[in-house]
Amino acid sequence: MSPQEITSLYQNSLTRLLLDGIFPYRCYGCGTYDTLLCSYCLKRLPRRSPVTVFFDTSKESTSLDSLTSPLFFKTPLVSLSIHDYKFQGITLLTQSFAGLLLEAIEHSPLRLPTYITAVPLHPKRLRERGYNQSDLLARELSFLLNEPTPIIHHVTLLKRTRNTSPQSKQPDRKTRLEAMRDVFALKDTAPDIIGSIIWLIDDVTTTHATLEACAKVLKQAGASEVHGIVIAR
């Protein structure tokens, strides 16, 4: 290696160290400084089409009226960023993810909700993690939808009554549905939701067992429609 190449390598390394100190975050996709998901990488993510799938609750064994999701969980950038958002405390991803949900909703025939709520964590897991990523999403989405005029309410409607093992450890949909039986209940402080349209927010879904269990409780409490909205599936 020539002296010029050594000098260039040293300068580049020094520059990276300096930038890492000033901008501690880099894009998951391209490494751009001072962002976790840059606009270029967000635009390149494969989108689902249609973003919303509707269910006939009178014919299908479901309490969910629809499921909206903009992204594919199998996309490596999506699965990695959601994992870190959920388990590594990278809550700065909230704005990017909520923006993706808003984009999906704008391309969906969904009616605006009476309430936006999130899939709850058990108090024990909430203490361990320090935050509920789904509730952060629900709050940010509500904020985006309410600009410039507040018309939609973010509320905590549900509570988790049992601390279950992660759904990813369950082998199939039937087992997951069984594991979710009687896990959720309406909060004592929840408003009257009879006749309400509810958007139920979570980060990701595979078999929809968690969303289904939540929707069942909300329908039993009088909600007229429950629509699941997730980042990816």
Side-chain angles (χ1 to χ4, degrees):
M1 185 178 291
S2 69
Q4 291 81 7
E5 289 174 324
I6 294 173
T7 300
S8 176
L9 179 63
Y10 173 77
Q11 289 175 339
N12 289 336
S13 299
L14 194 60
T15 300
R16 285 198 298 270
L17 285 171
L18 181 61
L19 287 171
D20 286 342
I22 298 173
F23 306 113
Y25 301 108
R26 301 181 69 175
C27 175
Y28 277 86
C30 65
T32 297
Y33 283 97
D34 202 28
T35 181
L36 290 169
L37 284 173
C38 72
S39 58
Y40 174 73
C41 289
L42 283 172
K43 288 178 183 177
R44 291 183 64 203
L45 290 174
R47 301 301 202 269
R48 285 188 171 274
S49 181
V51 293
T52 300
V53 178
F54 287 90
F55 308 115
D56 187 344
T57 55
S58 66
K59 297 179 181 178
E60 302 179 57
S61 57
T62 180
S63 296
L64 275 177
D65 291 275
S66 74
L67 178 61
T68 296
S69 173
L71 303 179
F72 297 90
F73 186 69
K74 66 180 180 181
T75 304
L77 178 57
V78 174
S79 56
L80 174 61
S81 56
I82 289 179
H83 175 274
D84 286 359
Y85 180 56
K86 190 170 185 174
F87 298 113
Q88 301 299 321
I90 312 298
T91 57
L92 288 175
L93 285 165
T94 299
Q95 288 185 331
S96 295
F97 286 151
L100 286 166
L101 295 185
L102 181 63
E103 173 195 295
I105 289 162
E106 289 172 343
H107 290 85
S108 168
L110 282 177
R111 291 197 293 165
L112 288 176
T114 314
Y115 299 111
I116 293 179
T117 196
V119 172
L121 288 177
H122 188 272
K124 181 177 183 293
R125 189 160 297 170
L126 181 59
R127 287 193 299 270
E128 293 170 351
R129 190 174 299 173
Y131 63 98
N132 177 356
Q133 74 285 347
S134 300
D135 192 59
L136 294 180
L137 274 177
R139 290 176 184 274
E140 183 66 17
L141 180 60
S142 177
F143 173 78
L144 293 174
L145 288 167
N146 280 326
E147 289 193 321
T149 305
I151 56 173
I152 300 167
H153 300 285
H154 165 270
V155 291
T156 302
L157 295 176
L158 298 166
K159 61 182 178 181
R160 204 166 189 131
T161 58
R162 286 193 290 115
N163 190 17
T164 57
S165 59
Q167 284 288 80
S168 59
K169 294 184 177 180
Q170 305 296 340
D172 51 46
R173 174 174 168 78
K174 182 178 179 180
T175 306
R176 291 183 181 196
L177 286 169
E178 185 61 34
M180 288 290 104
R181 187 186 298 275
D182 300 325
V183 166
F184 301 102
L186 201 69
K187 287 201 71 170
D188 297 335
T189 55
D192 183 357
I193 62 171
I194 294 176
S196 297
I197 299 173
I198 295 171
W199 286 2
L200 177 64
I201 312 299
D202 206 0
D203 51 1
V204 65
T205 185
T206 49
T207 62
H208 323 326
T210 300
L211 292 171
E212 173 62 36
C214 290
K216 183 177 180 180
V217 172
L218 294 170
K219 286 288 186 72
Q220 288 174 342
S224 63
E225 298 177 24
V226 180
H227 301 276
I229 301 177
V230 300
I231 305 165
R233 61 184 175 92

